[in-house]
Amino acid sequence: MSHSGPARAAPMGGQPAPVPIASAPGTPEALRRPDPFGRRTLGRQLVIRVTVLVAIAALLITTATALATRQLLMSQLDRQLDAVTARVRNPDAWPIGGPDTGLLRPGQPIGTLAVLYADDGTPQAGGRLTERGASGRGGAAVTDLPDAAVEQLSDVPTDGTKSSISLSGLGHYRVVGYRVVVGGTDPATLVVGVPLHEVDETIAQLVGLAALFSLFAIAGTVFASRSLVVRSLRPLNRVAATAQQVSQLKLDRGEVALAVRVPPEDANPASEVGQVGQAINHMLNNVEEALAARQASETKVRQFVADASHELRNPLAAIRGYAELTRRDREQLPTEAAYAMSRVESEADRMSHLVEDMLLLARLDSGPDLDLQPCDLSEVVINAVSDARAAGPDHVWQLNLPQYPVIAYGDRHRLQQVMANLLANARTHTPPGTYVHTEVSVSGPDAVVTVTDNGPGIPPEVSNRVFERFARGDESRRRTPGTGAGGSTGLGLAIVAAVVAAHHGNVAVSSQPGYTQFTVRLPLAQLMPTPHAGAGPDMRTPSMS
């Protein structure tokens, strides 16, 4: 066996990611509580939908109000237009000129216009009532209309139908046209209009105020709905919190106490959330009963295995004793009888080991009774590798240790058994000449032990269950001839996993053809960065081959 100093040996082949098999029990990390208004949450969807509904309602109300107000104002304007038209429509009332005289009568609104067209469409007279105060004088006056506006007004229907039109240079107007007779004989067309700018301004102000109020309403809805949604979703959040608590419980093995339940106020079937809470409580009751039944069944099986293993110890001891007694006179027995007795002795010995392994697993399952204390893991590994070298001289054993003791927190005898099983697995399932490299190191709060060989490897379908009880590999890692009679019991690696888990550590395996590595992690008690002291040989220096 050869040792090396602190430098680590080169890995044999590629190193695939390890597959964790057994891990220490512990409280799982709490699930992060999501933001109640995060993406895709019910709270956010409710707030958005309520806000959209309020926005749509505000838009509809604003639109309906604006349309109704415009309709009301247009009705008032049409009545005003009828009154204006009545004052300027009768040509006989024009003392002089044309409709200009009618525009100057009392009661006519500023901006009123009137145009008289001949029967052939030629404008005869007309104008627009304006305030003279703009030129520094009081009263009102009639000013000429732009030619473009006069041209547009000539197209107004003459059947008395009121219409709205946008006149060039004047803006929006409400106009109406009539057929009249001038001078008693000459037919003509009279068009009268009143401005729409007051109606437009009123509607614009109304829409602006409505939009402002709608924005305030939407903003208020967002804040109010957030508060309301948070308050309304509290029962559902409490139900979710209960489900999260249950999801963090270890339900895969051992006795499980499901004391968590949805509070009674959140399990009232009168509400939808209460129905969910009640269903969760019923489900938890069923799960608790099923787990209790499973635990009772497992306890019976463990007790049966323990009792059966214990009862088998004495008969097996007797069989081995009688078989060993025949050794004295085995030369006098026929060849076949001597061979049969040797096989009886060998199988009784293998059966005894199997019974001891089953007893150990039963004890670990029922609650490990470990003598946990700081122990030098490097010394444990040195002793185990030395024993493995003596048991398998046809393998090449390598050991890599740090220059300081690695103090793990564990049971020395059980850890010795873990190392013995791992090294025996490498010895018995690899051909002669295989390199088996053992290394001790420190990684964070853990002491790490790796056992690596360049044997045929473990198939992927087997590596996932290699730590299960009575697991068997295929022909690639079968027990090699001469390593023991009767084959493997299939419990060695199961004991490794159980002992490591009882130490609150974990063991993993990674393998491919030409490379297999077992990694054991154990809680680190302390790491003393000082060389070993005391008498005796220093096992950390190269000495064996």
Side-chain angles (χ1 to χ4, degrees), residues 110-201:
I110 299 299
T112 301
L113 60 79
V115 181
L116 182 66
Y117 296 92
D119 193 36
D120 59 358
T122 303
Q124 298 296 319
R128 175 171 172 266
L129 186 64
T130 60
E131 291 181 337
R132 190 174 295 180
S135 59
R137 292 176 293 176
V142 177
T143 59
D144 294 334
L145 295 172
D147 294 339
V150 173
E151 183 69 21
Q152 288 178 282
L153 290 171
S154 65
D155 297 330
V156 174
T158 59
D159 58 356
T161 302
K162 300 178 181 65
S163 60
S164 300
I165 187 173
S166 180
L167 299 177
S168 300
L170 299 178
H172 288 176
Y173 268 76
R174 188 73 169 170
V175 298
V176 64
Y178 295 96
R179 297 289 294 174
V180 295
V181 177
V182 179
T185 59
D186 299 330
T189 300
L190 177 65
V191 177
V192 181
V194 292
L196 280 171
H197 67 87
E198 292 185 358
V199 173
D200 293 340
E201 289 179 359

Side-chain angles (χ1 to χ4, degrees), residues 56 65 69 91 108 187 238 319 356 437 461 535:
I56 293 175
T65 301
T69 302
Q108 302 289 51
R238 289 194 293 267
I319 293 174
E356 294 297 332
H437 178 79
E461 64 273 12

Side-chain angles (χ1 to χ4, degrees), residues 227-448:
S227 176
L228 181 62
V229 166
V230 168
R231 191 160 47 248
S232 300
L233 290 181
R234 281 174 185 168
L236 186 59
N237 290 333
R238 289 194 293 267
V239 173
T242 301
Q244 286 185 355
Q245 282 184 275
V246 175
S247 69
Q248 297 174 31
L249 297 176
K250 290 289 187 180
L251 306 179
D252 56 338
R253 64 180 63 188
E255 187 173 356
V256 179
L258 281 177
V260 181
R261 291 293 187 277
V262 176
E265 61 271 16
D266 297 329
N268 187 350
S271 65
E272 290 80 358
V273 175
Q275 293 175 8
V276 175
Q278 186 183 57
I280 290 179
N281 282 345
H282 289 167
M283 179 188 67
L284 292 177
N285 291 335
N286 293 336
V287 170
E288 186 175 29
E289 293 175 0
L291 291 175
R294 184 205 67 183
Q295 178 63 19
S297 176
E298 290 180 353
T299 301
K300 291 180 181 178
V301 171
R302 292 194 190 101
Q303 188 63 40
F304 170 77
V305 171
D307 293 343
S309 301
H310 183 75
E311 293 298 327
L312 285 173
R313 297 173 76 179
N314 291 335
L316 286 172
I319 293 174
R320 291 173 60 188
Y322 284 118
E324 291 172 359
L325 284 176
T326 62
R327 291 181 185 177
R328 301 176 183 177
D329 303 323
R330 194 165 293 180
E331 293 81 3
Q332 303 176 8
L333 296 176
T335 303
E336 293 182 357
Y339 176 75
M341 293 306 300
S342 66
R343 295 303 304 149
V344 168
E345 183 179 357
S346 175
E347 289 302 317
D349 184 65
R350 176 177 175 270
M351 193 66 180
S352 298
H353 287 295
L354 175 61
V355 168
E356 294 297 332
D357 289 345
M358 292 175 65
L359 273 174
L360 175 59
L361 286 173
R363 295 191 192 102
L364 292 173
D365 287 340
S366 62
D369 183 15
L370 301 177
D371 182 18
L372 298 177
Q373 57 183 347
C375 64
D376 189 349
L377 191 59
S378 300
E379 182 180 351
V380 172
V381 173
I382 290 173
N383 295 334
V385 173
S386 299
D387 295 343
R389 175 182 174 273
D394 52 355
H395 285 63
V396 180
W397 302 93
Q398 296 177 334
L399 180 59
N400 208 19
L401 299 174
Q403 291 296 332
Y404 45 81
V406 178
I407 309 301
Y409 194 71
D411 187 321
R412 176 183 298 272
H413 300 293
R414 293 305 179 200
L415 294 181
Q416 184 77 31
Q417 185 174 17
V418 167
M419 293 307 306
N421 285 6
L422 288 176
L423 295 173
N425 178 75
R427 184 183 75 252
T428 57
H429 294 288
T430 56
T434 300
Y435 282 80
V436 182
H437 178 79
T438 306
E439 182 175 0
V440 180
S441 61
V442 175
S443 176
D446 297 328
V448 181

